[in-house]
Amino acid sequence: MHNALMDTYKRLPITFVRGEGAWLWDTNNNRYLDALSGIAVCGLGHAHPDITQALCQQASTLIHTSNLYGIPLQEELAALLTKISGMDKVFFANSGAEANEAALKLARLYGRKRGYKIPTVVVMEGSFHGRTLATLTATGNRKVQAGFEPLVQGFIRVPYGDITSLNNLATGNNEIVAVMVEPIQGEGGINIPNNDYLPQIRDLCNRQDWLLITDEIQTGLGRTGRMFAYQHHGIIPDIVTIAKSLGNGVPIGACLATGQAATLFEPGSHGSTFGGNLLACRAALTVLTVLERDNLVERSANSGSSILTELQQRLANQPGVVTIRGRGLMIGIELVKPCAELVTTALDSKLLINVTAERVIRLLPPLIMDATQIQFLVATLSGLIERFLSSN
Ligand SMILES: *Cc1c(COP(=O)(O)O)cnc(C)c1O
């Protein structure tokens, strides 16, 4: 068959046709353990019965009207999200990049109110914020930007985890309005800054009247063992973006804001045809209900620490392992050499993993993963890593 798809993804030679919890089945009925969750999307696992039922019921009632009309499910979801996050207001979009676009537009309006000509957002090296023009500009990876110049104006970049560089910007002659940061960098290689990094940024933003935007698109909704990763640090951002796991696979993103940032949009400033439609909101409400009902955030913290400890024990004598780091079910194993081929060898062992930043094995297992599945993951993966490091 002629491949009519644009060449944006180098796909693995495998196709899944069915899922159940942390398991996926391919076209030959082989079963795989999914330790990636569709890149942090299917936190409740595949074909979760509550999601299936809610979607079927909603699809047979009403999928979409328009933001021209009242949408009680959207209001209900916004109320729940503000309650669990400490934010005041929510804008719904359909993806992570769009949630970040909304955040960046809020930052621009915030700067405009101050009379700034080029409202500037501080972003980090190694960050990932999406593939739209503004969010790829915010992204700290040249590969994501190359070819798409001219990039968007109004961004300054500093090293991630380095509060001194950020503090130095405060004395400079610039029009900074916001700092945009991932609490843990995902695509960048599961980079976990010091525990005082976010509180220090919060302090700086308070002193300078800058908005603190945390991109929780990968870390959010229980992934790191707290509902939001900033909750590990006792701080509240001004703007929080979420997406990936919010709909368990149904596309939905959200930009949450508090304080002045929550008041900047007015009718006509921003919008989305699909954003927050009934089907997506029903999915997200069900996700939040199940997270709470089944204590999945706590489970993520516990499962994550047992995976981390066991991997650290099994791989303790491997000089080729630089570090094994993680928080909750967001785990990275950094090796001394590029290891993209491990994705394929893991596939042969019926395990789905990811490699990012060339040398970092990334695990983002579903929050519902059970003890037996954890054992399979740890045993299979540590065996694969040992073999990989002892060959060539
Ligand atoms: C995935 C991701 C995005 C982009 O989300 P899309 O839904 O692919 O647009 C933005 N920020 C972070 C931290 C992400 O992990």
Side-chain angles (χ1 to χ4, degrees), residues 95-97 100 128-130 182 187 215 217-218 244:
S95 67
N100 283 339
F128 184 82
H129 297 296
E182 293 157 88
E187 307 300 308
D215 178 341
I217 290 162
Q218 195 157 149
K244 289 194 165 85

Side-chain angles (χ1 to χ4, degrees), residues 231-391:
Q231 293 170 339
H232 289 284
H233 306 289
I235 61 133
I236 306 255
D238 300 286
I239 299 176
V240 180
T241 54
I242 53 177
K244 289 194 165 85
S245 63
L246 181 56
N248 209 57
V250 176
I252 179 169
C255 173
L256 288 55
T258 188
Q260 201 190 333
T263 67
L264 295 167
F265 282 154
E266 43 189 61
S269 330
H270 196 40
S272 167
T273 299
F274 291 130
N277 84 11
L278 289 90
L279 189 76
C281 288
R282 186 65 190 272
L285 276 166
T286 312
V287 166
L288 296 177
T289 308
V290 174
L291 283 179
E292 166 97 25
R293 184 196 67 197
D294 297 349
N295 286 319
L296 292 180
V297 180
E298 201 186 328
R299 181 159 163 175
S300 164
N302 296 335
S303 302
S305 53
S306 48
I307 294 173
L308 205 59
T309 324
E310 293 200 31
L311 283 175
Q312 281 163 346
Q313 279 167 4
R314 283 175 193 250
L315 296 168
N317 300 319
Q318 293 291 333
V321 176
V322 180
T323 52
I324 306 174
R325 53 186 182 251
R327 194 163 276 153
L329 286 171
M330 188 167 183
I331 295 170
I333 304 151
E334 182 178 339
L335 305 186
V336 286
K337 58 179 184 182
C339 59
E341 66 192 74
L342 270 173
V343 171
T344 321
T345 50
L347 208 54
D348 294 337
S349 301
K350 306 289 179 281
L351 176 65
L352 305 188
I353 59 166
N354 175 250
V355 168
T356 190
E358 291 182 355
R359 297 185 290 112
V360 183
I361 300 160
R362 175 169 55 162
L363 305 179
L364 299 163
L367 277 46
I368 47 88
M369 194 169 260
D370 68 24
T372 318
Q373 293 164 338
I374 288 174
Q375 282 318 309
F376 176 80
L377 166 61
V378 168
T380 308
L381 185 59
S382 47
L384 285 168
I385 294 172
E386 281 163 12
R387 252 171 289 145
F388 172 74
L389 291 172
S390 63
S391 71

Side-chain angles (χ1 to χ4, degrees), residues 8 110 113 119 180-181 186 194 210 244 248 283 325 336 355 366 382:
T8 50
Y110 184 76
K113 284 212 160 171
M180 184 174 203
V181 63
N194 288 337
W210 297 345
K244 289 194 165 85
N248 209 57
R325 53 186 182 251
V336 286
V355 168
S382 47

Side-chain angles (χ1 to χ4, degrees), residues 124-165:
M124 306 301 159
E125 288 173 8
S127 63
F128 184 82
H129 297 296
R131 300 282 193 162
T132 61
L133 282 171
T135 60
L136 75 81
T137 303
T139 292
N141 177 349
R142 272 305 297 162
K143 277 191 200 154
V144 173
Q145 300 173 338
F148 300 111
E149 296 81 3
L151 301 181
V152 174
Q153 276 190 299
F155 290 93
I156 301 183
R157 196 173 304 285
V158 294
Y160 186 61
D162 175 6
I163 193 67
T164 310
S165 305

Side-chain angles (χ1 to χ4, degrees), residues 62-76:
L62 198 58
I63 290 178
H64 179 92
T65 54
S66 157
N67 285 308
L68 298 174
Y69 310 107
I71 306 176
L73 281 173
Q74 197 181 108
E75 290 170 28
E76 198 186 326

